C-alpha cells in the first residue's frame, strides 16, 4: 500500500494548450488558448469550479499490458524509460511501490490522457505509422472513429482505455506531454483530498470537444489572462491550483516558447505544493513551500496548529514581517493575490513574472 493511501487519493490533470490561429504573440497578445471546463453541481469534489481535465488514478492505467501494447506499436521499454529519468524533487505520487505495475511517470500520463478523453472526448495520440516522428514537441488529437461511443464505454467502465487504443491502433502521446507541477489538497479538507500530478501538452490547432454530460457542465477555450480576468470579475471561479498555474502561464504568451520551456524543464522534477492556511484580521493566507511561514518538516496530514496566531494582524502587516514570500492572500472568493519573492523551485516559472533564471536553461 502506498504511504499515504488512507489519507488521500492520487490523480492526474492535463493543461491542454492550443494555438489560436497564426497570430504572433506579444506581451499582451497570446497566440494560444487553454482548455478548461466547469464541473457540474452534482460533482462530489469542488462542484461548479473551473478546472483542467483530469481525475483519479484507476488500476487500468498501470497494468503491465500497456508495456506490451507500446512494444507492439514500436515504442520500446528504453524509450518509455526516458520518461522516468527525472531529477530534482519527487513528490509522493511518483513513488513506485509495486513492481507489477507501470512506473508512475508513465502511468500518471496515461491517467491524464484517459481522463481528458472521458471528460472531453479529446484523444491525444497518433497512428502507429507516425511513431517515428512523434517527439515533435506538439501533440495532436486523433479523430476518424466513433468518439462518442468509445467515450461513453470508457467512461462507464464497459471498455478499458488500452482496449480503445489497441483496437484503433492509436498510441497515446506520452512523449509530448511534460511534467508541470504537483499539488496536494490542504489538510483542512480531511474527507476529500487528492495529490495531483499536472502535465502540459500543446497542439497546433484546437481539437473538437465533446463534453461528458455527468461531469462537465460546459467547456471553453480562453487565454490565461482571459480566464484570470473572468475569475476576478466573478464570471467564473477557478480552483486554487488552476488559478496559480494560469498565473505562471500568463507571463509566457507564446505557445512555442511554452513548449520549449516545458520540454527543457520537465525532467527537473516538481516540488509538492500543499497550501497551509493562516487567519489574519482581513484575509485568509495560504502559504506554499519556501515561504517563511511554511511549517518545517511538514507531514502533510496534521492541520497547522498556528492557524489563528496572526488573527490580529492584517495581511499586509504579516507580509512585511516575512523575507521569503510564497503565498496567496484571499480577501474574498474571487479576490486573491499571489506573492512570490523566492526563485521558483525546479527551474519553473514564477507567478510574479520574475523569471530571470530561464536564460540558464
Amino acid at each position: 500500500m502506498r504511504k499515504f493511501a488512507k489519507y488521500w487519493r492520487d490523480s492526474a490533470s492535463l493543461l491542454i494548450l492550443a494555438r489560436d490561429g497564426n497570430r504572433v504573440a506579444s506581451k499582451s497578445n497570446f497566440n494560444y488558448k487553454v482548455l478548461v471546463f466547469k464541473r457540474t453541481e452534482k460533482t462530489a469534489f469542488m462542484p461548479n469550479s473551473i478546472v483542467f481535465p483530469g481525475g483519479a488514478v484507476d488500476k487500468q492505467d498501470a497494468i503491465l499490458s500497456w508495456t506490451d501494447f507500446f512494444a507492439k506499436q514500436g515504442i520500446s521499454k528504453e524509450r518509455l524509460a526516458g520518461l522516468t529519468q527525472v531529477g530534482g524533487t519527487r513528490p509522493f505520487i511518483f513513488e513506485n511501490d509495486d513492481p507489477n505495475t507501470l512506473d508512475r511517470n508513465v502511468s500518471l500520463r496515461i491517467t491524464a490522457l484517459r481522463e481528458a478523453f472521458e471528460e472531453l472526448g479529446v484523444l491525444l495520440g497518433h497512428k502507429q505509422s507516425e511513431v517515428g516522428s512523434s517527439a515533435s514537441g506538439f501533440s495532436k488529437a486523433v479523430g476518424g472513429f466513433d468518439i462518442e461511443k468509445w467515450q461513453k464505454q470508457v467512461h462507464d467502465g464497459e471498455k478499458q482505455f488500452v482496449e480503445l487504443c489497441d483496437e484503433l491502433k492509436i498510441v497515446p502521446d506520452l512523449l509530448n506531454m511534460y511534467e508541470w507541477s504537483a499539488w496536494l489538497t490542504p489538510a483542512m479538507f480531511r474527507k476529500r483530498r487528492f495529490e495531483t500530478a499536472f502535465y502540459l501538452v500543446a497542439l497546433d490547432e484546437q481539437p473538437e470537444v465533446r463534453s461528458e454530460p455527468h461531469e462537465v457542465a460546459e467547456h471553453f477555450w480562453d487565454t490565461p489572462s482571459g480566464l484570470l480576468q473572468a475569475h476576478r470579475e466573478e464570471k467564473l471561479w477557478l480552483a486554487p491550483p488552476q488559478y496559480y498555474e494560469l498565473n505562471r502561464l500568463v507571463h509566457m504568451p507564446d505557445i512555442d516558447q511554452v513548449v520549449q520551456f516545458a520540454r527543457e524543464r520537465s525532467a527537473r522534477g516538481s516540488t509538492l505544493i500543499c497550501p497551509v492556511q493562516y487567519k489574519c484580521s482581513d484575509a485568509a493566507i495560504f502559504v506554499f513551500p519556501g515561504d517563511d511561514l511554511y511549517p518545517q518538516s511538514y507531514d502533510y496530514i496534521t492541520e497547522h496548529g498556528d492557524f489563528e496566531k496572526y488573527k490580529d494582524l492584517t495581511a499586509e502587516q504579516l507580509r512585511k514581517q516575512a523575507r521569503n514570500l510564497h503565498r496567496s492572500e484571499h480577501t474574498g472568493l474571487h479576490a486573491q493575490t499571489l506573492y512570490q519573492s523566492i526563485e521558483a523551485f525546479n527551474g519553473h516559472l514564477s507567478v510574479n513574472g520574475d523569471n530571470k533564471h530561464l536564460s540558464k536553461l
Side-chain angles (χ1 to χ4, degrees), residues 59-70:
K59 290 182 178 179
Q60 64 171 298
D61 304 325
I63 54 178
L64 290 179
S65 57
W66 276 108
T67 303
D68 297 331
F69 168 80
F70 285 120

Side-chain angles (χ1 to χ4, degrees), residues 7 33 52 69 131 137 150 191 195 209 214 223 281 286 300-301 318 345 353 355:
Y7 297 106
K33 290 183 177 178
F52 306 128
F69 168 80
V131 168
W150 274 102
K191 295 183 179 180
E195 183 178 7
V209 178
H214 297 94
T223 64
S281 63
F286 288 89
Y300 303 102
I301 300 170
L318 185 59
F345 296 109
N355 296 303

Side-chain angles (χ1 to χ4, degrees), residues 121-126 139-145 203 205-208:
V122 177
L123 179 57
L124 300 177
H126 47 267
S139 187
K140 66 178 183 179
V142 181
F145 66 99
L203 295 83
E205 60 183 6
Q206 290 184 12
E208 185 176 352

Side-chain angles (χ1 to χ4, degrees), residues 34-91:
V34 184
L35 177 59
V36 295
F37 72 86
K38 181 180 180 181
R39 295 183 186 274
T40 61
E41 291 185 356
K42 296 182 179 180
T43 302
F45 186 68
M46 301 186 77
N48 297 314
S49 60
I50 299 296
V51 297
F52 306 128
V57 167
D58 193 286
K59 290 182 178 179
Q60 64 171 298
D61 304 325
I63 54 178
L64 290 179
S65 57
W66 276 108
T67 303
D68 297 331
F69 168 80
F70 285 120
K72 187 167 64 173
Q73 301 298 332
I75 298 181
S76 65
K77 290 182 180 179
E78 290 72 25
R79 199 168 185 187
L80 287 177
L83 300 176
T84 71
Q85 296 169 2
V86 182
T89 309
R90 304 311 288 143

